[in-house]
Amino acid sequence: MELTPAELTVLGLVVEQPRHGYDLEQVIEQRGIRQWTEIGFSSIYYLLAKLEKRGLLSAEEAGGGAKSRRVFRATRQGRQVATDGALAFIADGRTVPQPVLVGLANLALVAERDYDQALSSRLTRVEARIASVTEAQRSQTPLPPAAREVFSYSLSLLEAERSWLVARVRGGDE
């Protein structure tokens, strides 16, 4: 059973521990998951319902009265599908589309001064993102191993991009 990145991410978070929709939203926000997968706030409940319908999650009411929430748990099949999906995504050699490559491929259309300004602007955003991801990682310690690896990989990619940008913007002064 093949999952989309958003489905696998939600399923994986529920495999990590049983969760309700609002809890998922908080974890997605805290870990910066929206930076690398498309999970909108409004799509969380849609994804939960879809995964439940496919037999990958089960739900039970928690709490009483008006504040009751459905808490989702991964089924045995859900755990297996999540494991298989995670391994498939890790081994997958496809590259993620990078809009910057489209811009670079059309560099002949851009004045050098504008290109330098665009690179400087991108460097500023990348440095801000590095600071944000680093702070998010630091504020959530200790992290589950999966989250720790996501932060590590994300920071490595951002640092590589920062290094490439610095070499072009500042002539490698740093």
Side-chain angles (χ1 to χ4, degrees):
M1 182 179 302
E2 195 168 316
L3 298 173
T4 67
E7 291 169 341
L8 179 57
T9 301
V10 168
L11 180 57
L13 289 172
V14 175
V15 167
E16 187 178 283
Q17 74 179 53
R19 299 180 191 276
H20 53 77
Y22 181 72
D23 185 34
L24 280 166
E25 168 59 23
Q26 289 181 311
V27 172
I28 287 167
E29 188 65 32
Q30 289 169 343
R31 294 187 189 171
I33 290 173
R34 288 195 178 92
Q35 300 299 320
W36 48 266
T37 193
E38 295 180 12
I39 301 176
F41 175 76
S42 60
S43 66
I44 291 172
Y45 292 97
Y46 167 77
L47 291 167
L48 288 168
K50 189 174 176 183
L51 294 167
E52 182 181 23
K53 185 176 179 180
R54 291 168 74 182
L56 305 177
L57 296 178
S58 64
E60 60 188 46
E61 293 294 323
K67 295 272 186 181
S68 72
R69 293 189 167 141
R70 293 183 75 208
V71 174
F72 292 86
R73 297 180 189 286
T75 63
R76 185 179 326 197
Q77 180 188 11
R79 288 178 185 281
Q80 187 60 55
V81 168
T83 299
D84 295 345
L87 290 171
F89 274 102
I90 290 168
D92 190 337
R94 289 179 289 179
T95 58
V96 176
Q98 292 289 331
V100 68
L101 296 176
V102 176
L104 293 174
N106 289 285
L107 203 51
L109 307 172
V110 177
E112 187 174 340
R113 185 186 80 231
D114 293 338
Y115 177 56
D116 291 344
Q117 192 172 16
L119 288 176
S120 292
S121 176
R122 186 173 183 93
L123 176 59
T124 299
R125 283 193 306 279
V126 166
E127 288 175 333
R129 185 73 188 122
I130 289 169
S132 173
V133 171
T134 301
E135 179 53 35
Q137 179 183 28
R138 199 172 306 145
S139 71
Q140 296 177 59
T141 303
L143 286 165
R148 190 174 56 245
E149 288 300 290
V150 168
F151 277 115
S152 173
Y153 184 78
S154 297
L155 285 169
S156 294
L157 292 178
L158 287 165
E159 289 291 348
E161 182 171 359
R162 180 183 181 282
S163 177
W164 182 84
L165 287 163
V166 164
R168 275 139 191 86
V169 172
R170 301 179 184 154
D173 294 344
E174 286 186 23

